[in-house]
Amino acid sequence: MDGADATHDLLVHLEGLNTARRTARYLVGWMITDLDEQAVARLPATAWTDSLDQDGDLQPG
């Protein structure tokens, strides 16, 4: 799954899959490397749009 699917409810569900005989393993997120930072820096300003916070309000910046 990509990051957009990583909601709190999903993580609670995944944890609920664990039993005494089975462990669900999953990964959420990754470390951003210098190469990632360089790629982001090359994006034109027109590639960016405003984002929303959890309440649906515009995030500053």
Side-chain angles (χ1 to χ4, degrees):
M1 77 185 99
D2 69 16
D5 289 326
T7 65
H8 185 270
D9 290 342
L10 175 62
L11 299 178
V12 169
H13 171 73
L14 291 172
E15 287 294 321
L17 296 175
N18 292 323
T19 68
R21 298 180 64 191
R22 175 185 63 218
T23 301
R25 295 179 187 246
Y26 54 92
L27 176 67
V28 177
W30 69 90
M31 182 183 294
I32 296 176
T33 66
D34 289 338
L35 189 59
D36 296 324
E37 292 284 353
Q38 292 168 18
V40 169
R42 290 195 328 240
L43 291 170
T46 56
W48 300 99
T49 61
D50 294 331
S51 61
L52 303 178
D53 63 20
Q54 292 180 349
D55 296 324
D57 299 321
L58 284 177
Q59 290 193 47

